[in-house]
Amino acid sequence: MGRTALVLGGGMVGTATAWHLQERGFNVTLIERNEIGRETSYGNVGLIQSEASEPYAFPHDFRTLARVAFGTANEAIWHLRDLPSVAPALLRYWFNSFPTRYARISSSYNAMIQYAVQEHERLLTQIGGSNLIAKSGWKQILRTQRGMESALAHARHLSSSYGTEYRALDSRELAIAEPSLKIPMAGGIWWTNPWSSSAPGQLVEHYANGFIQQGGTILKGDARTLSRTASGGWSVRTVEGAVEAEQAVIALGPWADTLTRSLGYRFPLFVKRGYHRHFSWNGSLATPLIDTENGVALAPMLAGLRIATGAEFARRDSVPDYTQINNSEKLARQLLDFGNPVENTPWKGARPCLPDMLPIIGAAPKHKNLWFHFGHGHQGFTLGPATARLLAEQMSGNAPYIDPLPYDPTRFPSAL
Ligand SMILES: Cc1cc2nc3c(=O)[nH]c(=O)nc-3n(C[C@H](O)[C@H](O)[C@H](O)COP(=O)(O)OP(=O)(O)OC[C@H]3O[C@@H](n4cnc5c(N)ncnc54)[C@H](O)[C@@H]3O)c2cc1C
């Protein structure tokens, strides 16, 4: 059958995988049940976060834990109804956030993050420039002196550990840099090297167009119909009938378990849900802003000003609770003047997370010619092209550009 592959899932992760495999001479069919880049990879804040060398840890300080537990933290909320199903993964997440483990995990996280911008750039260079990207970084804005001091300590730590570049802005400098801010802030951290996109879903489509130009095929189909062929390859049902290939990649983001479970894997995948809503707005920001003390992102998008939330610990499919996005809107209105909502209801999505904060990338231990590529948590939009390169190198038998071991599926022996 030659070098052929099915990539299941057309988010940032699957689309970048399809592109990398096609570039290495595979004949690739990308399977998506809806439209390309219309789920989690559409609804995010659009940051390509080269500064995110360390993943989001489970909080261990008493003050934050108490705020989250008593429901006064807008950046992270939870629901009693969903606690029994999410608690086991959260417990492991909490355990992995202890300093020694977290330091080891961060080193593996940084190994991917440091190539994130470069790997997006590689795609953009090959496919042709995109006007959907700004290269001016993003700003963390702090309301309180206490918040500013803690943000500054974190920035200094990232700078000394990983060489991350930033500029600390005092209250006056921030007001000059972002004149649309209505209230005086304690200050800000300007992460100068990250990129941002004004239409994250369209950027994924742009990459998908590059994949098609290289000879790739995109078909609508249901990944859950994946089955073995007599020759040891894989087949999936699409609107154009069954499509077969030698290899298959599961890149279904927060839905990965809808297929991996039926294949006999029980990975501790859980989600941190998030919401956004666009608002009409005539103003401008020099960069996207995040009010980190409240977990509110303010990102200028083609569709309007996108207000996005932090984490909601809930089951992926339980009913939406708009409290967090409504509170975020109120908090954002303290900061900027903007108009009415563009959509009737807020968008809801789910960050695909694993308790050790690392994605699963590599060969399926129990199935020949099957590969996993999911669980990118808070930074899948950032990491998609970088981890796609890693997986494509493994599938092609080329030397991987970073050590693949920390992301290998076998690190969860009880899931196999
Ligand atoms: C509010 C919010 C803000 C965020 N901000 C950022 C940010 O600024 N920067 C960043 O890097 N990351 C951010 N993230 C995280 C990022 O969006 C995700 O990590 C990333 O989009 C995951 O990409 P993915 O391709 O794995 O999943 P998805 O984009 O969800 O793609 C999975 C695809 O699989 C398809 N699919 C599912 N089931 C089937 C099936 N049975 N058959 C066929 N297809 C199927 C879906 O339709 C979907 O298109 C944010 C997330 C949220 C929720």
Side-chain angles (χ1 to χ4, degrees):
M1 199 183 281
R3 279 154 64 99
T4 54
L6 299 170
V7 177
L8 309 171
M12 176 59 90
V13 173
T15 303
T17 308
W19 187 88
H20 266 285
L21 286 172
Q22 188 77 25
E23 203 197 33
R24 281 164 180 76
F26 280 78
N27 195 339
V28 182
T29 308
L30 177 59
I31 308 292
E32 168 56 48
R33 66 177 170 188
N34 296 322
E35 303 296 326
I36 293 294
R38 280 286 159 268
E39 293 286 356
T40 334
S41 299
Y42 155 78
N44 55 67
V45 179
L47 301 179
I48 297 176
Q49 290 187 264
S50 54
E51 91 295 343
S53 296
E54 298 186 341
Y56 278 97
F58 194 99
H60 275 225
D61 68 289
F62 181 74
R63 192 169 166 269
T64 311
L65 279 175
R67 286 174 60 244
V68 175
F70 292 111
T72 58
N74 187 59
E75 68 271 27
I77 65 163
W78 56 282
H79 301 287
L80 199 55
R81 63 171 194 228
D82 292 333
L83 209 52
S85 47
V86 297
L90 290 191
L91 202 63
R92 291 169 76 172
Y93 177 26
W94 171 77
F95 180 64
N96 283 318
S97 300
F98 276 98
T100 314
R101 284 175 177 270
Y102 183 65
R104 212 170 38 237
I105 287 166
S106 294
S107 153
S108 304
Y109 206 77
N110 180 56
M112 307 178 286
I113 283 282
Q114 63 178 314
Y115 294 105
V117 163
Q118 165 191 313
E119 291 303 320
H120 275 277
E121 188 148 43
R122 179 201 293 266
L123 260 76
L124 287 171
T125 307
Q126 302 257 349
I127 295 167
S130 167
N131 52 0
L132 302 170
I133 289 284
K135 301 183 178 176
S136 42
W138 67 274
K139 294 188 195 82
Q140 190 177 350
I141 55 171
L142 289 310
R143 295 183 187 232
T144 66
Q145 204 50 48
R146 183 196 179 110
M148 184 63 201
E149 277 158 24
S150 128
L152 202 50
H154 182 61
R156 288 192 184 119
H157 161 70
L158 291 187
S159 168
S160 66
S161 306
Y162 310 101
T164 314
E165 291 178 25
Y166 70 94
R167 267 188 60 197
L169 305 174
D170 64 21
S171 181
R172 198 184 61 89
E173 288 166 331
L174 177 58
I176 293 169
E178 296 294 355
S180 299
L181 282 171
K182 292 197 304 185
I183 55 171
M185 305 293 289
I189 303 290
W190 182 2
W191 303 102
T192 48
N193 291 338
W195 290 4
S196 61
S197 173
S198 56
Q202 283 182 39
L203 186 68
V204 180
E205 273 179 67
H206 184 67
Y207 291 169
N209 289 338
F211 161 69
I212 292 171
Q213 278 158 24
Q214 285 190 154
T217 305
I218 299 179
L219 290 177
K220 269 199 180 155
D222 187 344
R224 291 168 303 174
T225 62
L226 187 74
S227 62
R228 272 280 188 218
T229 62
S231 58
W234 296 96
S235 169
V236 72
R237 283 211 298 275
T238 74
V239 288
E240 298 197 7
V243 179
E244 293 186 9
E246 185 194 17
Q247 317 261 347
V249 181
I250 299 177
L252 297 169
W255 293 275
D257 59 348
T258 63
L259 179 53
T260 54
R261 274 181 176 255
S262 64
L263 292 165
Y265 300 90
R266 299 184 72 80
F267 292 112
L269 187 74
F270 69 102
V271 298
K272 294 187 196 174
R273 300 203 310 190
Y275 298 80
H276 84 225
R277 200 168 198 183
H278 293 109
F279 295 85
S280 60
W281 124 282
N282 301 321
S284 69
L285 288 175
T287 71
L289 305 178
I290 302 188
D291 170 2
T292 41
E293 286 161 298
N294 294 300
V296 180
L298 306 107
M301 297 273 168
L302 294 183
L305 179 69
R306 182 176 287 191
I307 308 292
T309 68
E312 179 194 35
F313 293 96
R315 282 178 298 121
R316 185 190 58 220
D317 299 324
S318 63
V319 285
D321 173 353
Y322 297 126
T323 312
Q324 201 180 19
I325 183 70
N326 291 339
N327 285 341
S328 299
E329 178 193 338
K330 282 186 201 128
L331 288 156
R333 287 196 187 280
Q334 295 170 355
L335 300 171
L336 296 176
D337 276 327
F338 53 87
N340 292 325
V342 171
E343 303 94 355
N344 289 335
T345 49
W347 173 89
K348 169 179 74 66
R351 302 170 181 91
C353 298
L354 286 147
D356 64 0
M357 295 159 264
L358 298 173
I360 292 182
I361 309 165
K366 298 193 290 192
H367 296 81
K368 202 162 176 282
N369 297 333
L370 182 66
W371 302 82
F372 295 147
H373 193 195
F374 54 84
H376 292 65
H378 284 260
Q379 269 100 29
F381 186 70
T382 298
L383 288 172
T387 59
R389 174 177 167 191
L390 177 62
L391 184 77
E393 285 170 348
Q394 289 176 271
M395 290 177 68
S396 318
N398 298 333
Y401 80 116
I402 54 175
D403 179 8
L405 204 60
Y407 325 107
D408 197 87
T410 55
R411 72 183 194 273
F412 294 112
S414 61
L416 310 181

